[in-house]
Amino acid sequence: MTVGVVPTGAGLGAEISGVDLSQPLDDSTFAEVEAAFDQHGVIILRDQKITPEQQVTFSGRFGECAVNHNAADFGIDGSPEIYLISNIVEDGRFIGTPKAGPEWHTDMSYAKVPARATMLHAIEVPEMDGLPLGDTEFANTAAAYDALPETMKHRLAGLKGIFDFRGRKRGRPISEETIAKYPPVEHPIVRTHPRTGRKGLYVMRNDCTGIVGFESEDALSLIGALANHITRPEFVYRHRWRVGDVVVWDNCTAQHKAMQDYDLPQRRLMWRTTVKGTEPF
Ligand code: SIN
């Protein structure tokens, strides 16, 4: 197989061709995929016809899969690493998390060791008159850091953001057990990518609830200004889903946000896997 890598031309992301995830990937093919992932922050593989087990196998090439706290309610029999994002209702209940990620965020920032990668596989994509809905936007935190004035880079050096699960306002209510498992944690606002060494901004509204040593009001205004900067149009790629897409994003380089512009009878179903990462520095 010849692996093709075509950048999206937007703020980040590249489309990969020549890879069939229903077949075993040899090490050199995966090395090319991983290099594109490191460089572009988001990779897109179209027209994949895979089973849950094959998605878990591909996810496992990036590292150990995490079992999401939503998996207990929205899992798939036999593949606990997968949980469903979906607005589909069966037997009077949602089969998945209906409105995941409506605000800019990066996965598992509430944990001491956040996720390295997240993978979504599109099974059903909502549409209106042939127009796909439920896009996902991605923002390039490294390009956003590079574009900061040197004075701001200097000001941010060494600052730590406070990530407190209890401050989270998005998504469904979080259980007491999960809250107890994830006490507030501090992460560097300027985070170094563990593989490329590139610096990026690790800060966003809502999940990042404060900055160590700052008064709350000062922290929130700096967090807000940085969040606005990271999501400027030149740093963003908007993914328009097709059935069969597999999209993998790097939670150090990319923040993401799901567009909530559809509703039943427009159905959306994604299989989601998450790969464990390393402690931010
Ligand atoms: C997420 O935040 O993981 C969900 C993204 C999406 O459903 O598009």
Side-chain angles (χ1 to χ4, degrees):
M1 278 187 209
T2 307
V3 177
V5 179
V6 178
T8 62
L12 73 170
E15 199 164 316
I16 309 284
S17 58
V19 176
D20 177 355
L21 299 180
S22 70
Q23 304 300 319
L25 287 192
D26 59 58
D27 287 346
S28 70
T29 301
F30 182 70
E32 291 185 64
V33 171
E34 194 172 36
F37 177 75
D38 287 338
Q39 186 181 347
H40 297 285
V42 179
I43 52 170
I44 300 136
L45 299 97
R46 303 279 194 187
D47 302 318
Q48 300 296 325
K49 292 184 182 60
I50 53 171
T51 62
E53 293 76 18
Q54 286 163 340
Q55 177 165 342
V56 172
T57 299
F58 182 49
S59 304
R61 298 298 295 268
F62 292 86
E64 187 188 347
C65 284
V67 174
N68 190 279
H69 63 92
N70 286 309
D73 292 334
F74 299 131
I76 288 188
D77 285 347
S79 294
E81 301 87 349
I82 290 192
Y83 95 87
L84 305 180
I85 293 180
S86 184
N87 66 338
I88 298 169
V89 176
E90 280 175 7
D91 300 326
R93 65 182 285 275
F94 288 114
I95 63 166
T97 306
K99 303 249 160 161
E103 290 166 11
W104 285 107
H105 67 286
T106 175
D107 290 326
M108 293 183 67
S109 61
Y110 53 82
K112 196 168 163 52
V113 182
R116 175 187 183 197
T118 305
M119 187 178 301
L120 283 189
H121 176 36
I123 307 298
E124 293 192 53
V125 176
E127 58 162 59
M128 185 177 70
D129 291 334
L131 173 76
L133 303 173
D135 297 354
T136 307
E137 288 187 301
F138 297 93
N140 189 333
T141 65
Y145 175 79
D146 290 346
L148 287 174
E150 289 305 315
T151 46
M152 178 55 89
K153 287 183 184 166
H154 189 68
R155 184 175 166 202
L156 297 180
L159 291 187
K160 296 219 171 213
I162 301 165
F163 292 74
D164 188 348
F165 216 21
R166 293 165 301 182
R168 176 185 275 214
K169 294 178 194 73
R170 65 187 164 82
R172 55 193 198 115
I174 296 156
S175 70
E176 288 302 321
E177 189 189 350
T178 304
I179 286 172
K181 196 169 156 194
Y182 295 104
V185 65
E186 295 170 10
H187 294 307
I189 283 184
V190 179
R191 183 176 173 188
T192 304
H193 193 283
R195 291 170 55 87
T196 66
R198 199 171 169 193
K199 287 182 175 166
L201 291 169
Y202 199 72
V203 59
M204 67 290 306
R205 285 195 180 80
N206 187 16
D207 289 351
C208 183
T209 52
I211 299 175
V212 174
F214 277 50
E215 294 295 333
S216 174
E217 200 181 319
D218 294 342
L220 293 180
S221 44
L222 182 55
I223 291 167
L226 292 171
N228 289 346
H229 171 75
I230 293 165
T231 55
R232 271 168 37 185
E234 63 266 40
F235 306 133
V236 169
Y237 162 65
R238 180 169 174 154
H239 185 69
R240 181 164 281 183
W241 292 95
R242 289 188 219 153
V243 170
D245 284 355
V246 170
V247 173
V248 197
W249 62 85
D250 180 329
N251 283 295
C252 183
T253 303
Q255 292 187 12
H256 62 285
K257 173 183 152 180
M259 305 298 294
Q260 306 292 346
D261 56 357
Y262 58 93
D263 226 326
L264 289 174
Q266 297 154 331
R267 292 161 55 111
R268 190 173 191 264
L269 174 58
M270 302 275 166
W271 295 348
R272 185 185 197 272
T273 41
T274 315
V275 176
K276 291 183 183 174
T278 49
E279 195 167 330
F281 59 92

